């Protein structure tokens, strides 16, 4: 399994402040980014997996909504998170 309990805790510890702060916007965006990267690699190998493609599109939409929210609330946190995760090129 690609997303173990330890990996998830590490993501929230790094971006959410603590392991138990799983509801933070930054932590959720980082988790979605990790999942998006995994699904993208999967789709490179399995290009006819349309259910995964649909899931990827939905996940990108959720991340976009959270990024818009964070941008509206705190632009500095948004810029730092974008740079850390390497979302923008």
């Amino acid at each position: 399994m690609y997303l173990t309990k330890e990996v998830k805790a590490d993501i929230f510890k790094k971006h959410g402040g603590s392991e138990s702060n799983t509801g933070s916007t930054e932590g959720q965006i980082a988790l979605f980014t990790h999942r998006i990267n995994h699904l993208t690699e999967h789709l490179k190998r399995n290009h006819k997996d349309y259910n995964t493609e649909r899931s990827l599109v939905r996940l990108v939409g959720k991340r976009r909504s959270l990024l818009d929210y964070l941008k509206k609330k705190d632009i500095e946190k948004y810029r730092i998170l974008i740079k850390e995760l390497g979302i923008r090129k």
Side-chain angles (χ1 to χ4, degrees):
M1 192 161 145
Y2 77 99
L3 189 61
T4 62
K5 192 184 292 189
E6 292 81 21
V7 171
K8 196 171 183 180
D10 185 46
I11 289 172
F12 283 113
K13 189 176 187 181
K14 185 176 179 186
H15 297 286
S18 70
E19 294 177 14
S20 62
N21 191 6
T22 59
S24 69
T25 307
E26 295 91 348
Q28 289 291 318
I29 292 170
L31 181 66
F32 285 166
T33 301
H34 180 76
R35 290 174 61 193
I36 286 169
N37 291 338
H38 174 74
L39 291 177
T40 302
E41 291 301 315
H42 172 80
L43 282 173
K44 285 179 183 175
R45 293 185 307 270
N46 306 293
H47 65 279
K48 288 190 178 183
D49 189 355
Y50 299 116
N51 289 327
T52 301
E53 187 177 350
R54 180 175 184 270
S55 299
L56 177 64
V57 170
R58 290 182 68 200
L59 202 55
V60 169
K62 282 183 183 182
R63 183 179 72 177
R64 179 75 259 157
S65 298
L66 285 174
L67 282 169
D68 289 343
Y69 170 78
L70 186 62
K71 188 176 182 180
K72 187 169 55 172
K73 286 294 187 185
D74 191 352
I75 190 75
E76 289 304 315
K77 282 185 183 178
Y78 170 80
R79 289 179 180 151
I80 292 168
L81 189 66
I82 292 296
K83 186 174 274 190
E84 283 179 5
L85 296 176
I87 295 175
R88 300 284 178 265
K89 301 215 161 109

